[in-house]
């Protein structure tokens, strides 16, 4: 039954497409034509790049062989369409999606860009990639039939929802008054919402008002408020506005949210978001008539996404938000700006009020004992009062003095932490949260290993926070990670810096503070499941700015949202965070050398110690020989033998080494002499090439590094690899010959071990797939290809080209390398005794029987299609394919 129903639906959809869309577009056509002649908009995207991604392909709509599409086959992705990068809505929508970790892509509606692949065709059924299509720059969207048609058809086919967001710059009228709703002169009273939304419900808590007509509107052609709500474009001929597709929009539209405001003393109600579920073209559309810069509009968008994502798990955050407010530098503020005793009273009172909103809430005081009671008499009293009420707060220790921890040795850190610990004991302050942040936040990220060690030794610290990972900006991208068993949570700023104690210290005064509370600080809460705010003790002195800010924030949250604010111990906050984002546990180290701010709080390592050249492998491609030869160049320094993997560091391909951190990685390499300019550090680890995470990890730490890939004949490589693991007593290789390894299959009932061995043996040779991954992270011009065959036969020539690519001075490798007939390979001429050569050890250039003809033929077939793809890839990049590949290509052409 299912298939006929589907076919009928598809037929109806096609029929409606055939009938309705043309009717609509005929109506629009005249305007379009005129417009494309006389205006700049629209015409630019008319000739969209269809060669690369034809419309037909991107939707898989070739009717004859179209597989049955099940509308439930849609991935939970979101696609954002926009025209102008400067569109302010774009930044906001993107941050919202990024912060909520919603899988999304953006597409600029432009001729020069490829249309993104809308469907997945690598699966047995066709799967749509996007559940929601968010359209910004709506004017351009509706003015361009090809784009409009494509996405309408996609939404029809996969039941995807289209969300069209008004942008201030466009002629989208959101009110009968012809003004953008929420303009400053409009006195906003309330915003009501239909019952259909219940994620972050936007409403006035005590006064919930349903949308006009209980959420459903009967559209009448003379209903000017709704018509004007819909996106308009201005006809270049008549100068009048033409509403969005009146033929498509149905007559029964639901209002998702309305605003109620006062205008000239009269209360008015206007819709700000409407949904059309029954459009005549079968696409559900949500129209947003309000700019996204408004906090409540962000909530509304989240609500809408949630509404349409129920079974698609687009959203990961619930309504619960954990909060912690740290008061750093307690006892430290400069003279005259410390909390006095009356400030402490205000603080305690405010804390009580906050506890009504966030049960169990306590401020978290980070102290430096050295400066206790240093200040004016009223400030001394303030310090004493904090201590006498210590049990009413949570406490954490900085160091005894207010010092930058990344400048301190382990011993110094121990001493200062212990002094601070003793201070707490002397004054009966309980410090047991297992949480700390260092003064100036230095040493947390980039990591100063002695800080982590001292924290564990002295305080048994298990949780800390930083605003620096991966970078300070953008703040909605800050993340947590775990290092050395300490959970590091993202830390948030709230515009109150150390020296800000009075309203006059803020440009814009209290109005600006309100804007911060309801804007950025609110967004921080919205974007993060756990928010640890950093404030400083001075922010609680004088005008009590921090208290005002948080009261405003909490009031706003209570008034407009159903966000549930909670608090807990730092350990539980960390557990909550990593339960929601388990993928964050494993850090991705960023380069301090690319970040001025990080350089200033990094424990002073030399950036020139980071490799600027990496030989990626693959394994058994001749990588050891290349490494050995290259290090003969006086300008190329490398690591000495490691204790764990001979000449390889394997930092990016091993979680064990990667988790040791950047300082450990760097400690493997020599420091280039500052006087010898042009000297650089390089490494080779043949395990990098195939490792799934290595490209991203490397890109984040050494984005400018030049990479070398050796393209050896994959058949020879596979056979060499088998001999290698057999030599190292791999139990499966020991009992199975090469033929049974490469021919293992489920059909032959091969054991799982044997199947795994086959994959490990053959998959690295599918070069184009691995390269595609590297090319996602590194530009082509940073990658150099070495012909693996040439490396064996004529390494001198290989090195000539490579040295030029690296950019170091010419070296006559003809004098350094010499063929050793006994070894059967090139070796390095000994500098002490020139008649002697130093060759690689017995494990490189092994003796084993030649590969059988049958196995060679089998592997030729196995790699044939992959090699073709590699060939095409290299040609596209204008690179010379290795000889073995050229021979194969010409052989196949002849045949
Ligand atoms: N000059 C020189 N000396 C010795 N060996 C050479 C040389 N040039 C290339 N080769 C080939 O390198 C193969 C080993 O590759 P790798 O060094 O990449 O192996 S590893 O992944 O690092 O273990 C090794 O594979 P086997 O012959 O199977 O031992 C050699 O074929």
């Amino acid at each position: 039954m299912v298939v006929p129903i589907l076919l009928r639906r598809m037929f109806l959809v096609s029929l409606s497409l055939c009938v309705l869309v043309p009717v609509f577009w005929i109506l629009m056509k005249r305007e379009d034509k005129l417009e494309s002649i006389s205006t700049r908009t629209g015409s630019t995207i008319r000739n969209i790049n269809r060669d690369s991604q034809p419309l037909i392909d991107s939707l898989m709509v070739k009717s004859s062989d179209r597989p049955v599409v099940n509308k439930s086959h849609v991935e939970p992705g979101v696609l954002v369409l926009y025209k102008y990068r400067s569109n302010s809505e774009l930044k906001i929508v993107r941050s919202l999606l990024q912060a909520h970790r919603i899988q999304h892509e953006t597409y600029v509606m432009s001729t020069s860009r490829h249309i993104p692949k809308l469907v997945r065709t690598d699966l047995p059924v066709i799967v749509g990639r996007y559940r929601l299509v968010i359209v910004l720059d709506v004017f351009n969207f509706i003015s361009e039939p090809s784009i409009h048609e494509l996405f309408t058809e996609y939404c029809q086919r996969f039941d995807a929802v289209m969300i069209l967001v008004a942008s201030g710059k466009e002629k989208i009228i959101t009110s009968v008054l012809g003004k953008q709703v929420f303009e400053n002169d409009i006195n906003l009273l309330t915003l009501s919402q239909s019952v259909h939304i219940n994620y972050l419900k936007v409403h006035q808590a005590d006064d919930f008002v349903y949308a006009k007509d209980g959420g459903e509107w009967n559209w009448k052609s003379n209903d000017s408020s709704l018509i004007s709500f819909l996106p308009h474009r201005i006809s270049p001929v008549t100068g009048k506005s033409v509403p969005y597709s009146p033929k498509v929009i149905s007559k029964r539209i639901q209002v998702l949210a309305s605003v109620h405001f006062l205008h000239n003393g009269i209360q008015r109600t206007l819709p700000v978001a409407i949904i059309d579920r029954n459009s005549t073209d079968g696409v559900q559309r949500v129209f947003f008539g309000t700019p996204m810069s408004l906090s409540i509009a962000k909530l509304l968008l989240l609500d809408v996404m949630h509404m349409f994502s129920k079974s698609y798990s687009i959203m990961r955050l619930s309504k619960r938000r954990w909060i912690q407010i740290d008061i750093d530098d307690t006892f430290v503020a400069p003279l005259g700006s410390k909390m006095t005793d009356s400030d402490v009273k205000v603080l305690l009172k405010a804390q009580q009020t906050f506890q009504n909103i966030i049960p169990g809430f306590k401020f978290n005081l980070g102290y430096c004992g050295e400066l206790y009671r240093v200040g004016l008499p009223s400030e001394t009293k303030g310090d004493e009062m904090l201590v006498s009420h210590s049990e009413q707060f949570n406490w954490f220790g900085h160091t005894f003095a207010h010092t930058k921890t990344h400048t301190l040795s382990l011993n110094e850190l121990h001493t200062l932490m212990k002094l601070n610990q003793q201070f707490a004991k002397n004054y009966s302050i309980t410090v047991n949260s297992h949480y700390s942040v260092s003064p100036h936040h230095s040493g947390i990220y980039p990591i100063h290993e002695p800080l982590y060690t001292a924290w564990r030794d002295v305080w048994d610290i298990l949780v800390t926070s930083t605003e620096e990972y991966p970078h300070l900006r953008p703040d909605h991208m800050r993340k947590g990670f775990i290092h050395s068993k300490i959970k590091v949570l993202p830390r948030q700023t709230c515009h109150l810096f150390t020296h800000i104690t009075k309203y006059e210290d803020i440009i814009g005064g209290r109005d600006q503070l309100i804007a911060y509370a309801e804007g950025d600080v609110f967004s921080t809460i919205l974007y993060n499941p756990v928010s640890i705010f950093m404030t400083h003790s001075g922010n609680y002195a004088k005008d009590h700015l921090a208290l005002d800010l948080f009261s405003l924030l909490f009031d706003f949250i209570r008034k407009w949202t159903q966000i549930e604010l909670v608090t807990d111990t730092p350990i539980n906050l960390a557990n909550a965070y990593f339960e929601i984002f388990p993928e964050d546990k494993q850090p991705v180290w960023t380069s301090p050398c690319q970040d001025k701010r990080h350089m200033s709080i990094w424990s002073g390592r030399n950036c020139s110690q980071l490799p600027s050249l990496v030989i990626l492998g693959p394994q058994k491609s001749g990588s050891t020989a290349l490494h050995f030869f290259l290090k003969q160049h006086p300008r190329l320094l490398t690591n000495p033998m490691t204790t764990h993997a001979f000449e390889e560091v394997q930092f990016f391909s091993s979680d064990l080494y990667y988790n040791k951190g950047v300082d450990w990685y760097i400690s493997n390499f020599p420091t280039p002499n500052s006087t010898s300019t042009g000297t650089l550090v390089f490494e080779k680890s043949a395990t990098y090439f195939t490792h799934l995470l290595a490209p991203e990890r490397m890109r984040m730490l050494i984005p400018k590094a030049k990479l070398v890939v050796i393209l050896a004949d994959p058949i020879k490589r596979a056979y060499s690899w088998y001999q290698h693991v057999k030599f190292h007593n791999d139990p499966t290789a020991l009992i199975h010959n090469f033929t049974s390894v490469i021919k293992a299959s489920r059909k032959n009932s091969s054991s799982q071990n044997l199947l795994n061995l086959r994959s490990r043996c053959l998959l690295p040779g599918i070069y184009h797939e691995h390269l595609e991954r590297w090319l996602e992270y590194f530009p082509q011009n940073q990658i150099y290809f070495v012909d693996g065959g040439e490396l064996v036969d004529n390494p001198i020539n290989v090195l000539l080209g490579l040295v030029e690519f690296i950019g170091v001075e010419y070296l006559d490798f003809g004098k350094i390398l010499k063929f050793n007939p006994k070894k059967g390979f090139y070796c390095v001429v000994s500098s002490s005794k020139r008649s002697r050569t130093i060759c690689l050890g017995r494990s490189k250039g092994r003796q084993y029987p030649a590969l059988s003809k049958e196995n060679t033929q089998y592997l030729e077939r196995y790699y044939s299609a992959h090699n073709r793809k590699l060939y095409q890839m290299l040609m596209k990049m204008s690179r010379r394919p290795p000889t073995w590949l050229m021979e194969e290509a010409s052989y196949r052409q002849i045949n």
Side-chain angles (χ1 to χ4, degrees):
M1 277 316 280
V2 178
V3 174
I5 289 172
L6 271 171
L7 285 174
R8 240 179 46 214
R9 287 189 76 178
M10 281 168 58
F11 173 70
L12 285 175
V13 168
S14 327
L15 190 71
S16 61
L17 257 180
C18 297
V19 177
L20 295 170
V21 173
V23 171
F24 165 55
W25 287 114
I26 286 165
L27 282 172
M28 307 289 282
K29 209 83 191 166
R30 211 177 95 79
E31 299 287 353
D32 281 334
K33 264 192 193 153
L34 291 166
E35 198 174 76
S36 62
I37 296 164
S38 56
T39 66
R40 68 297 66 112
T41 39
S43 52
T44 46
I45 42 180
R46 197 164 304 281
N47 305 316
I48 197 141
N49 189 345
R50 292 195 167 170
D51 289 345
S52 49
Q53 181 64 51
L55 173 66
I56 213 107
D57 280 2
S58 56
L59 270 177
M60 286 297 293
V61 289
K62 232 169 132 194
S63 52
S64 54
D65 53 24
R66 180 195 304 160
V68 175
V69 173
N70 182 336
K71 291 195 174 189
S72 65
H73 289 139
V74 188
E75 291 185 338
V78 175
L79 179 66
V80 183
L81 306 180
Y82 69 99
K83 172 76 180 164
Y84 302 107
R85 210 163 278 281
S86 56
N87 184 331
S88 53
E89 311 299 320
L90 174 65
K91 205 170 153 218
I92 297 166
V93 170
R94 214 187 234 163
S95 343
L96 201 75
L97 295 167
Q98 281 168 342
H100 284 257
R101 320 268 177 115
I102 294 168
Q103 188 188 313
H104 67 280
E105 276 171 62
T106 53
Y107 167 57
V108 53
M109 297 182 274
S110 142
T111 41
S112 54
R113 297 290 170 129
H114 302 177
I115 299 174
K117 263 199 183 303
L118 299 179
V119 292
R120 283 188 62 180
T121 50
D122 54 336
L123 301 169
V125 284
I126 303 263
V127 171
R129 296 188 56 220
Y130 309 103
R131 178 78 190 122
L132 301 174
V133 176
I134 300 179
V135 183
L136 310 176
D137 299 305
V138 181
F139 177 82
N140 290 84
F141 179 69
I142 62 178
S143 303
E144 175 46 59
S146 63
I147 299 256
H148 187 278
E149 267 171 55
L150 169 70
F151 288 100
T152 303
E153 191 171 352
Y154 172 81
C155 292
Q156 286 167 336
R157 203 163 291 283
F158 293 97
D159 224 0
V161 176
M162 208 181 265
I163 300 175
L164 300 106
V165 180
S167 150
K169 282 194 195 125
E170 290 175 334
K171 205 69 190 145
I172 295 167
I173 306 161
T174 53
S175 83
V176 274
L177 307 168
K179 294 179 176 191
Q180 286 285 337
V181 175
F182 301 123
E183 260 180 355
N184 287 343
D185 59 338
I186 292 177
N187 183 2
L188 184 65
L189 295 179
T190 103
L191 187 141
S192 61
Q193 199 171 359
S194 89
V195 277
H196 306 288
I197 313 179
N198 60 6
Y199 171 56
L200 294 164
K201 197 176 275 177
V202 185
H203 72 107
Q204 194 160 22
D206 318 300
D207 182 24
F208 187 83
V209 188
Y210 286 107
K212 191 180 166 197
D213 297 338
E216 190 141 306
W217 266 21
N218 282 317
W219 178 66
K220 292 183 228 94
S221 53
N222 61 356
D223 196 334
S224 55
S225 60
L226 185 58
I227 291 184
S228 59
F229 176 86
L230 296 171
H232 279 51
R233 54 203 194 90
I234 300 299
S235 159
V237 182
T238 62
K240 287 187 181 159
S241 63
V242 183
Y244 178 70
S245 182
K247 294 271 176 209
V248 174
I249 302 291
S250 71
K251 299 208 166 187
R252 291 176 70 77
I253 283 173
Q254 289 174 310
V255 176
L256 286 176
S258 305
V259 282
H260 308 271
F261 59 95
L262 280 182
H263 183 73
N264 295 338
I266 302 165
Q267 183 170 334
R268 289 178 180 271
T269 296
L270 278 177
V272 286
I274 57 173
I275 177 166
D276 182 5
R277 290 179 187 274
N278 309 306
S279 67
T280 43
D281 66 357
V283 175
Q284 300 192 73
R285 289 185 180 79
V286 177
F287 295 91
F288 268 83
T290 168
M292 282 294 139
S293 49
L294 287 156
S295 293
I296 48 177
K298 291 179 196 166
L299 286 169
L300 211 51
L301 181 60
L302 282 173
D303 265 347
V304 169
M305 288 200 277
H306 188 253
M307 191 163 98
F308 291 108
S309 71
K310 271 171 209 134
S311 48
Y312 298 91
S313 60
I314 287 182
M315 316 293 293
R316 286 166 76 179
L317 305 192
S318 73
K319 284 189 278 195
R320 177 168 290 185
R321 297 290 188 275
W322 284 265
I323 184 166
Q324 174 178 310
I325 303 175
D326 289 357
I327 307 184
D328 283 10
D329 305 347
T330 298
F331 311 138
V332 179
L335 224 64
S337 56
K338 283 178 84 163
M339 275 188 264
T340 63
D341 48 340
S342 56
D343 294 330
V344 177
K345 277 185 203 146
V346 177
L347 177 72
L348 284 163
K349 192 135 189 284
Q351 178 168 279
Q352 254 178 7
T353 315
F354 292 170
Q355 282 166 355
N356 296 330
I357 303 163
I358 310 168
F361 173 82
K362 284 182 178 182
F363 283 103
N364 197 27
L365 273 53
Y367 72 97
C368 294
E370 190 184 50
L371 293 161
Y372 177 60
R373 297 177 71 201
V374 177
L376 304 172
S378 58
E379 293 174 337
T380 306
K381 277 192 191 163
D383 283 358
E384 286 167 354
M385 196 163 174
L386 283 176
V387 168
S388 63
H389 288 77
S390 69
E391 79 292 348
Q392 303 217 22
F393 303 109
N394 292 325
W395 293 80
F396 66 92
H398 284 317
T399 48
F400 188 63
H402 193 250
T403 331
K404 288 190 172 149
T405 49
H406 74 281
T407 59
L408 303 176
S409 68
L410 182 59
N411 267 346
E412 290 165 329
L413 284 162
H414 272 152
T415 310
L416 283 174
M417 283 185 194
K418 281 181 184 155
L419 277 170
N420 220 21
Q421 199 173 42
Q422 191 54 47
F423 171 85
K425 274 192 195 138
N426 295 347
Y427 289 94
S428 307
I429 300 172
T430 312
V431 188
N432 61 3
S433 63
H434 301 277
Y435 172 84
S436 188
V437 175
S438 58
H440 308 278
H441 318 287
S442 80
I444 304 177
Y445 193 80
I447 283 168
H448 182 48
E449 297 291 349
L451 174 67
Y452 282 65
T453 313
W455 265 346
R456 279 200 319 274
D457 293 349
V458 179
W459 290 108
D460 192 15
I461 295 303
L462 299 173
V463 185
T464 181
S465 60
T466 182
E467 45 179 346
E468 300 291 346
Y469 176 77
H471 292 288
L472 184 68
R473 295 257 172 260
D475 45 7
H476 67 269
M477 300 274 272
R478 286 177 202 160
K479 287 181 176 175
F481 64 94
I482 303 179
H483 180 65
S484 215
K485 299 204 179 114
I486 294 182
K487 295 186 169 117
V488 186
L489 290 177
R491 184 174 180 79
Q492 309 298 343
T493 31
C494 53
H495 293 279
L496 295 179
F497 305 105
T498 327
H499 60 280
I500 299 182
T501 55
K502 300 190 294 296
Y503 288 112
E504 65 194 54
D505 297 334
I506 305 170
I507 301 167
R510 187 159 192 269
D511 282 349
Q512 185 55 49
L513 194 80
I514 298 173
Y516 287 149
E518 298 182 356
D520 283 1
V521 186
F522 171 72
S523 294
T524 299
I525 295 273
L526 187 63
Y527 290 172
N528 294 283
V530 176
S531 293
I532 298 186
F533 286 107
M534 166 183 65
T535 61
H536 299 88
S537 63
N539 308 141
Y540 296 82
K542 306 255 165 85
D543 287 349
H544 311 131
L545 296 175
L547 297 176
D548 196 16
L549 179 93
F550 286 108
S551 317
L552 287 163
L553 171 72
F554 298 153
D555 284 350
F556 183 82
I557 290 174
R558 284 208 300 179
K559 180 173 176 191
W560 292 107
T561 81
Q562 287 197 341
I563 287 175
E564 183 197 348
L565 288 176
V566 292
T567 193
D568 212 324
T569 60
I571 293 180
N572 286 343
L573 295 193
N575 291 342
Y577 179 90
F578 288 108
E579 207 169 288
I580 297 168
F581 299 132
E583 70 276 18
D584 283 6
K585 288 180 185 172
Q586 170 73 64
V588 180
W589 307 121
T590 56
S591 169
C593 308
Q594 308 293 317
D595 186 321
K596 236 171 143 189
R597 201 180 147 90
H598 284 185
M599 275 305 275
S600 68
I601 50 171
W602 191 33
S603 32
R605 293 279 179 170
N606 191 340
C607 286
S608 63
Q609 254 182 304
L610 275 170
S612 37
L613 175 76
V614 184
I615 302 169
L616 305 179
Q619 284 180 309
K620 311 318 287 179
S621 61
S623 61
T624 317
L626 188 60
H627 179 255
F628 181 47
F629 297 159
L630 262 190
K631 72 180 185 185
Q632 308 308 316
H633 195 297
R635 294 275 185 245
L636 299 176
L637 306 181
T638 192
N639 51 287
M641 288 295 220
T642 63
T643 46
H644 57 273
F646 304 98
E647 73 284 350
E648 301 196 346
V649 181
Q650 298 187 348
F651 178 67
F652 298 104
S653 56
S654 144
D655 287 353
L656 179 70
Y657 306 131
Y658 190 70
N659 285 337
K660 287 176 187 266
V662 178
D663 285 4
W664 177 85
Y665 180 51
I666 285 186
S667 71
N668 282 281
F669 303 106
T671 318
N673 189 334
S674 55
T675 52
S676 60
T677 46
T679 304
L680 54 90
V681 169
F682 80 105
E683 72 136 321
K684 93 92 181 168
S685 296
T687 45
Y688 291 162
F689 183 66
T690 52
H691 195 273
L692 294 184
L693 299 177
E696 187 194 355
R697 287 173 171 178
M698 210 178 275
R699 154 100 201 150
M700 295 305 279
L701 188 64
I702 42 173
K704 302 260 162 67
K706 293 182 174 173
L707 311 179
V708 179
V709 175
I710 307 167
L711 298 173
D713 182 343
I715 300 176
K716 286 188 187 155
R717 198 216 68 84
Y719 190 44
S720 165
W721 186 87
Y722 167 79
Q723 298 298 341
H724 175 82
V725 291
K726 192 173 165 191
F727 181 83
H728 285 279
N729 297 325
D730 179 287
T732 317
L734 283 177
I735 53 171
H736 292 282
N737 62 20
F738 188 59
T739 310
S740 34
V741 172
I742 60 173
K743 292 192 176 164
S745 83
R746 291 215 180 275
K747 274 192 217 145
N748 305 344
S749 314
S750 305
S751 69
Q752 192 54 48
N753 284 345
L754 191 56
L755 290 169
N756 290 347
L757 193 72
R758 179 184 196 262
S759 302
R760 287 168 57 218
C761 181
L762 299 185
L763 296 187
I766 304 180
Y767 295 144
H768 71 98
E769 279 184 5
H770 301 292
L771 280 174
E772 263 157 32
R773 210 175 44 250
W774 283 97
L775 285 165
E776 269 175 45
Y777 293 91
F778 284 88
Q780 301 177 14
N781 61 2
Q782 267 174 252
I783 305 180
Y784 189 84
F785 297 101
V786 164
D787 179 336
E790 195 181 8
L791 180 63
V792 174
D793 299 336
N794 189 356
I796 296 162
N797 205 33
V798 166
L799 288 158
L800 196 71
L802 185 51
V803 158
E804 198 185 324
F805 167 74
I806 300 168
V808 283
E809 67 207 33
Y810 168 82
L811 182 71
D812 187 356
F813 275 99
K815 291 200 177 120
I816 291 171
L817 305 184
K818 197 172 160 196
F819 185 76
N820 181 322
K822 198 165 161 219
K823 176 78 180 171
F825 286 96
Y826 274 83
C827 301
V828 171
V829 176
S830 162
S831 53
S832 51
K833 206 170 175 197
R834 297 204 57 82
S835 57
R836 269 193 58 221
T837 56
I838 303 162
C839 299
L840 293 181
R842 272 191 303 142
S843 64
K844 309 287 140 120
R846 282 197 183 91
Q847 301 293 325
Y848 39 81
L851 187 60
S852 73
K853 201 170 166 203
E854 191 203 345
N855 283 342
T856 307
Q857 282 168 351
Y858 178 87
L859 289 176
E860 271 170 4
R861 279 195 302 278
Y862 177 87
Y863 283 118
S864 152
H866 299 303
N867 285 346
R868 198 174 314 129
K869 285 194 181 147
L870 173 70
Y871 184 85
Q872 286 158 355
M873 201 175 187
L874 293 170
M875 295 312 269
K876 224 171 162 182
M877 290 192 271
S878 310
R879 305 302 180 91
R880 186 174 66 91
T883 317
W884 57 266
L885 186 58
M886 292 218 273
E887 279 165 6
E888 188 178 320
S890 64
Y891 167 79
R892 296 216 177 276
Q893 264 160 28
I894 292 161
N895 291 280

